[in-house]
Amino acid sequence: MIHDRIEDFLATLPRTGALAGLDLGTKTVGVAVSDGLRRIATPLLTVRRTKFTEDAAKLKAIAAERRLVGIVLGLPRNMDGSEGPRAQSTRAFARNLVQVLPLPVGFWDERLSTVAAERALLEADTSRKRRAEVIDHVAAGYILQGVLDRLDWLGREGGA
């Protein structure tokens, strides 16, 4: 099941269990995972996109290995909040993914996640070559950490 609102996504999840965050690009998918208590997002890897079936098989293997209970997809909205072709492509990917990987999927506004990841890598004095290798899964980490922080707040405060 796919959820636009993170509150609805939370309602479908068990109390514990790891989540994955995905930063979907045209050529790559950045993958980050959380711990089972959903406190910390850790960038994991970048998957080179080929065909959907191969991409989905790789994500399915990660889900099984990490015992994931849900997936968060970064939704690339325009700066004015509207959705363009990339957001529609992400929504189509999610619809296809839940057909082969039956886990709850939530969307998270990913505006500026890549910018934040780039800034963090620059501050860490990461070489240009290394930044190119890791930027996608570091951005996925930012997306997932945003969701984890929101889920934590919703759990403590009862949400808003």
Side-chain angles (χ1 to χ4, degrees), residues 8-143:
D8 299 335
F9 176 67
L10 173 61
T12 66
L13 297 175
R15 291 185 55 79
T16 60
L19 301 176
L22 304 181
D23 182 27
L24 186 68
T26 55
K27 296 180 182 178
T28 61
V29 179
V31 181
V33 294
S34 76
D35 59 298
L37 295 177
R38 301 186 197 135
R39 299 281 186 236
I40 299 173
T42 303
L44 182 64
L45 58 87
T46 299
V47 174
R48 281 266 162 236
R49 292 189 68 183
T50 53
K51 296 189 306 189
F52 174 78
T53 52
E54 293 173 18
D55 301 343
K58 291 174 188 171
L59 294 174
K60 199 171 180 178
I62 292 167
E65 177 184 337
R66 299 285 176 154
R67 295 187 189 123
L68 300 178
V69 298
I71 296 174
V72 176
L73 262 169
L75 189 63
R77 294 183 186 272
N78 296 322
M79 290 310 288
D80 65 1
S82 64
E83 292 187 13
R86 285 192 59 227
Q88 295 307 314
S89 175
T90 299
R91 289 185 180 280
F93 184 88
R95 285 190 301 271
N96 292 330
L97 185 61
V98 297
Q99 299 300 314
V100 296
L101 185 57
L103 292 174
V105 172
F107 290 116
W108 187 255
D109 187 342
E110 73 162 31
R111 281 180 281 188
L112 302 178
S113 62
T114 301
V115 172
E118 180 83 19
R119 183 171 298 138
L121 291 169
L122 284 169
E123 288 174 5
D125 201 25
T126 309
S127 71
R128 182 183 308 258
K129 181 178 184 231
R130 183 69 179 144
R131 282 195 313 267
E133 294 169 354
V134 301
I135 189 72
D136 296 316
H137 58 273
V138 171
Y142 271 87
I143 292 165

